[in-house]
Amino acid sequence: MIIASIGSTANAEITDNSFSLDIQVGADNYGNPIILDLASVKGTEYTLSQKHGDGVAKTTLQAACNQGKLYATRFAVYNSTGKLTSNQTIEREIVLKPDTADANATSMQIVCRAANKLGSE
């Protein structure tokens, strides 16, 4: 396993069979990081992770880049051992806050830029 820290907001981890690059895109009201795992990005769909009690909550989002809209499609909670304890399929538009460092807006910008670059090649 190789772990590298890129600044204070990005970490890379390489294990035998996988690669993970996490980028901190914001923080919750308690200062806990909100993380975008670039390995979760599939087109304009991606997952944000954040602390939830003793475990982790993961929200799957779908960006409509050309329309400037973002939708939550799944909310899952994992306990401290990584076991899935709650899994909800949802369909809700996320209200983006212009000119803020909001995690949803930041992650959407990253994903949409990557999607646009891939689409233009």
Side-chain angles (χ1 to χ4, degrees):
M1 175 191 310
I2 298 171
I3 299 176
S5 179
I6 306 165
S8 61
T9 60
N11 290 309
E13 181 177 336
I14 302 170
T15 60
D16 293 338
N17 298 318
S18 66
F19 174 77
S20 174
L21 178 59
D22 297 332
I23 299 175
Q24 182 177 340
V25 293
D28 65 16
N29 292 337
Y30 302 104
N32 298 313
I34 299 173
I35 304 296
L36 166 63
D37 177 2
L38 291 179
S40 75
V41 178
K42 294 174 182 68
T44 58
E45 181 180 87
Y46 60 97
T47 301
L48 293 181
S49 302
Q50 67 188 89
K51 183 176 170 64
H52 185 81
D54 290 338
V56 174
K58 295 187 176 194
T59 305
T60 303
L61 301 163
Q62 179 69 50
C65 299
N66 294 336
Q67 300 164 358
K69 293 186 178 186
L70 184 64
Y71 300 91
T73 60
R74 180 175 179 253
F75 182 76
V77 177
Y78 298 83
N79 66 17
S80 60
T81 63
K83 181 181 177 191
L84 180 65
T85 60
S86 175
N87 187 21
Q88 299 173 333
T89 300
I90 53 179
E91 192 171 317
R92 180 182 51 145
E93 184 174 351
I94 303 294
V95 177
L96 298 172
K97 300 172 188 141
D99 302 321
T100 66
D102 181 76
N104 294 323
T106 303
S107 61
M108 183 177 169
Q109 288 174 347
I110 293 167
V111 169
C112 288
R113 283 182 190 162
N116 286 336
K117 287 190 184 287
L118 291 174
S120 64
E121 292 180 358

